[in-house]
Amino acid sequence: MEKKEILAQWHSLEKKWQNYWSEEKSFRATNPGDPDHDPQQKKFYCLDMFPYPSGQGLHVGHPLGYIASDIISRYKRMKNCNVLHPMGWDAFGLPAEQYAIQKGVHPSISTQENIQTFKRQLNSMGISYDWEREINSSSPEYLHWTQWIFLKLFENDLAYEDNADVNWCPELGTVLANDEIIDGKSERGGFPVIKKPMRQWMLKITAYAEKLLADLDDLDWPESTKEHQRNWIGKSVGAELSFQIKGHDEKINVFTTRADTLFGVSFLALAPEHPLLDELSTPEKKKEIETYKKLSAAKSDLQRGDLNKNKSGVFTGATALHPITGKEIPIWCADYVLMGYGSGAIMAVPAHDERDLEFAEKYSLEVLSVNDGEKIINSEHATLNINGQNISQAQKSVITFLENEKLGNAKTTYRLRDWIFSRQRYWGEAIPILHTENSTEKVAESELPLTLPEVKSYLPTGSGESPIAAVESWIQTTTTDGTPAKRESNTMPGSAASSWYFLRYMDPKNKTRFCSVEAEKYWGQVDLYIGGAEHAVGHLLYSRFWQKFLFDQGLVSHKEPFKKLIHQGMILAENGEKMSKRKGNVVNPDKVIEEYGADTLRIYEMFLGPIEKSKPWQTSNIEGSYRFLAKLWKLVISEDGQSLHENVVDADESQWPEKIKKLLHKSIHLIEKDIEKLSMNTAVSKLMILLNEATSAFERKIPKSFLSTYTLMLAPFAPHIAEEIWKLLGNEKSLVRENWPTHNPKFLQEDEIQLIIQVNGKLRDKILVSSDKSEDAIKELALNLEKIKAFTDGKEIKKVIYVKNKLVSIAV
Ligand code: ANZ
């Protein structure tokens, strides 16, 4: 058979099985209450991060995670689980809006087209989604509940308006969340981002800082992702204390994690946005400070903080008094101090803080050492003496002193900021809020979903208002009691819908609740969540927050949404570069399927290497995966592809060579373990070895009994070919819910085991013994070894210990 003919056969059977699965609803998950629901089955909820349906369609990088989660889903169905494996669309967002701006096409229309492409591509790979549960985050049925959850947050004072400094991207005409900014530039487009005070909706995620931190410990997530979240939450335990400003009534509050260094303070530094700055700076310094403030406003927090290698600042002309010694301390303004952290002011201790030292050296400020690395020095005054204490003792002493003198107190801060939840854009969920002259009120729940008005231009106004602000007929309304009101014109950010979509899949068509109580109870947590590591903070933190909030409201039954998480690596171009449209090095899965078949694509992507690793695509290596499947095909299927090959013979397991029985049972067991731990590359390799060994051991006469089991094992990986072989083997039903083969443990035992022989704890010999030997026989054997006798002859044997399958230890 030529490759061309094989592919023609494969392509037609791919279509056939894809249609069959779709018509038979083969991948349908059942909810309690469904007529065909089986309460005996275990549930398994396997979720892929839902994609943004971009105009480019899928590239070969997307399926890496999708294929892996599909393999485990198909496998779990064969293990008799009720598998929820859904897919949907994160359909709001900037690209569709930008496309609308350029082409004048309504975002919902271009998004619909893209969704069709994505769906066609996913189906062409045989991904086993339950399409009855498909969701689209921009649909009224879905956004209804996004808005509803927002209202719950609002009712619980977790959504509020604030005039805070925000990250404003003039180019995009919108504010951005911290996690949407990379190195001071917008993640999308790479445009400059500046600080600007604006009215925004905020979600009080900081109220959940401690829970978000504490509950990380129990999650089966990559340690690096948990660490990322811990750092993002950034808990710091320390103290807050105040310094009197000389000649003023006001005090400056600082936050420090090093209260023990209080005697080493040589200056105070205020963030340029600090509210006391204008008031305390002396007249001759005002101009310089104004200029400095403008300079810092153009920098991102990262440029000011972590990336800042050249610290700068301006002396305010004012001084403060040391709370213990009364010494005069200069007050500076420096932009390495961030307004959004602690109190926006620091006590600087150059001897023990690198940033402060850099600054002190630049501006010739005092550097006073107050510890020798272990013990406190130079820290004595009439009211407090901490010399000789260790650092943590000293911290406690200072904090106790401050608390007694009402100068300060212990304090814990978090780096985590509240979530800026409004966007001045068109294509997002309307925020269901009304503004009357004197109040801010929720839109009545009965008015949800609140859909967007049609607009002529999708362009942001640039003044910080969404284009919908101009649609008077939509904006002007009344409250339920008839008071004139204006609708909120800001929309929600992209990460709103993705913060709860995993709940909607549990009961996607529910019209009265985001999902029914029973469905949520039944599906509970996502058992396995697969998606990119770029979501390590943003999405994964926001969705944990919403889930925790819903949990506290008694609306869901688990406080964490995702039990186990895996990040798939990236597929790079052949030269190791990132695949990008701009570089023209994107490999399209449609083409790969066309040339090699869907199952080859699946096998190849899994065979590339560990799922978590990033790895280059190598078109030349696809041949290897193709040859594996083609070899099987030619071996067991007739030339015309319509029946089994005459090589396939009737012979039951008792007639197989012993070697193959062993290998098969071992492979069933090990592939099962591989799938469970998502080690798909090693599973594929075991399937390849098994086929090779069997082909030669059976001398190309493959018994049906072997082929049946092998086909079932292949099914999660190469489902189209497996279904076809299964059918030609004479089975009437699809193998989707056929049982995964069981292995016979008898065949797992190794024939021989290696044992270490020790005399008085020292290794003296190694032997191979047959695994069925008794303990006594093994001890006897060990004592009679020549090498051992050399150490035991003429001595009294005190003890012989046998540690099963490991060692014999002799004491003399
Ligand atoms: C005195 C001191 C002495 C400090 C010393 C450190 C070392 P983490 O651990 O990250 O929470 N700090 C406080 N507020 C700040 C702000 N708004 N912008 C920039 N820096 C700020 O860091 C806490 C430390 O960071 C605080 O403790 C303070 O400097 C500084 F040997 O106070 B420290």
Side-chain angles (χ1 to χ4, degrees), residues 639-752:
E639 289 252 341
D640 62 1
Q642 299 300 312
S643 57
L644 289 181
H645 198 282
E646 56 197 32
N647 278 345
V648 180
V649 296
D650 285 317
D652 65 32
E653 194 170 327
S654 61
Q655 293 162 279
W656 305 359
E658 190 63 17
K659 188 177 151 202
I660 293 299
K661 280 188 213 163
K662 271 204 150 133
L663 184 62
L664 178 82
H665 285 275
K666 223 167 128 176
S667 303
I668 296 174
H669 176 62
L670 293 178
I671 290 175
E672 187 167 333
K673 280 189 162 173
D674 281 346
I675 297 177
E676 295 272 1
K677 58 176 196 246
L678 279 111
S679 180
M680 304 309 183
N681 57 325
T682 55
V684 168
S685 137
K686 289 183 182 96
L687 284 168
M688 291 174 169
I689 292 171
L690 180 58
L691 182 66
N692 280 339
E693 295 286 324
T695 314
S696 63
F698 289 124
E699 293 169 349
R700 306 188 64 83
K701 294 265 178 266
I702 304 293
K704 275 187 189 160
S705 51
F706 175 88
L707 185 58
S708 282
T709 310
Y710 189 83
T711 304
L712 292 173
M713 293 160 74
L714 181 71
F717 300 87
H720 308 90
I721 290 178
E723 285 276 23
E724 189 67 15
I725 298 177
W726 188 247
K727 189 188 141 222
L728 295 178
L729 274 165
N731 297 292
E732 269 164 30
K733 278 194 352 226
S734 143
L735 49 61
V736 165
R737 288 175 201 273
E738 204 57 48
N739 283 334
W740 177 258
T742 41
H743 71 270
N744 184 340
K746 176 176 103 187
F747 293 108
L748 296 193
Q749 280 157 18
E750 297 292 340
D751 299 337
E752 290 196 314

Side-chain angles (χ1 to χ4, degrees), residues 236 255-258 261 336-338 341 344 346-347 349 352-353 355 415:
S236 283
F255 169 72
T256 178
T257 46
R258 296 292 305 276
T261 62
Y336 74 94
V337 182
L338 304 176
Y341 189 61
I346 62 161
M347 59 176 228
V349 187
H352 304 290
D353 183 288
R355 299 163 296 179
R415 204 163 284 280

Side-chain angles (χ1 to χ4, degrees), residues 60 119 727:
V60 289
K119 206 168 161 179
K727 189 188 141 222

